[in-house]
Amino acid sequence: MAHAREIVVDERHDTVWASGFGDGTLVAFDCRTLKEKKRVTVEGSGPTGLALDEKSGTVYAADLTNDQIIQVSTGSTAPRLIPAGDGPISVSLSKDGRTAYAANQTGGDVSVVDLRNGLVTKSVATGAGPLSVATDTRTGNVLVVNRTDATLSLVSPRRGAVVETVAVGANPNHIEIAGGSAYVVDKSGAGADGKDQLHRIRLAR
């Protein structure tokens, strides 16, 4: 792969998907044999962040180059292309897998995407340089880190608005949610001994 960008693990199907930003590819590897089992190429695309529907095995990739989401379903090699916002770089899914949330680095917002109809239903401004997005499946809220603004935005898709903004370290780069907390990595080098930092933010129920 050229410029491998991100991976997501499909435990049910013993598969690891990887995105290749440089050559427009999504590649599936067998977890047991480590051999390639599927490759989907979208010419002229730049796939970055990945999300997986664990029930169906369908994988979604943010296409930073073409302002869309690439969907690859189990058993199909023909990708489906779904519109997103301006410069999508990260994607996450709702708990039921019917909605995708794309963090649009150029647009400074999050697109709420109806996957069944392939439409953007809402666009929520979050701040400058959204770089990573994650879904809190307990509440249905979406968390976005804004790299340029050095903030974390808590978005309510139902209300179509940011309900809280939290300052984090400079240059936040990635977010994960686990155990009722959000973990944010920044690349500021502002920590002890000039190292990058990990921030933990407890989430309300």
Side-chain angles (χ1 to χ4, degrees), residues 44-147:
S45 70
T48 50
L50 297 175
L52 174 75
D53 185 330
E54 296 181 358
K55 294 180 181 178
S56 67
T58 301
V59 67
Y60 299 87
D63 180 359
L64 179 63
T65 303
N66 296 311
D67 299 340
Q68 63 190 3
I69 295 172
I70 302 169
Q71 173 184 321
V72 177
S73 302
T74 303
S76 173
T77 57
R80 179 186 179 210
L81 306 178
I82 304 169
D86 189 3
I89 193 168
S90 180
V91 62
S92 67
L93 301 178
S94 60
K95 186 176 182 178
D96 61 13
R98 297 176 183 174
T99 305
Y101 307 107
N104 302 310
Q105 184 178 25
T106 306
D109 59 5
V110 170
S111 296
V112 180
V113 183
D114 179 341
L115 294 175
R116 179 176 297 176
N117 296 310
L119 297 171
V120 175
T121 60
K122 296 176 184 175
S123 295
V124 183
T126 60
L131 201 63
S132 184
V133 60
T135 304
D136 184 352
T137 56
R138 303 170 313 147
T139 63
N141 291 328
V142 176
L143 281 75
V144 183
V145 289
N146 306 296
R147 179 179 173 87

Side-chain angles (χ1 to χ4, degrees), residues 23-39:
D23 54 10
T25 60
L26 298 175
V27 184
F29 297 92
D30 188 296
C31 291
R32 296 176 180 175
T33 66
L34 305 183
K35 294 181 178 180
E36 181 178 321
K37 56 195 283 189
K38 186 173 184 177
R39 179 179 291 256

Side-chain angles (χ1 to χ4, degrees), residues 5 131-132 145 147 169-175 184-187:
R5 177 58 165 71
L131 201 63
S132 184
V145 289
R147 179 179 173 87
N171 301 323
N173 202 61
H174 192 74
I175 183 170
V184 177
V185 175
D186 73 54
K187 295 181 68 177

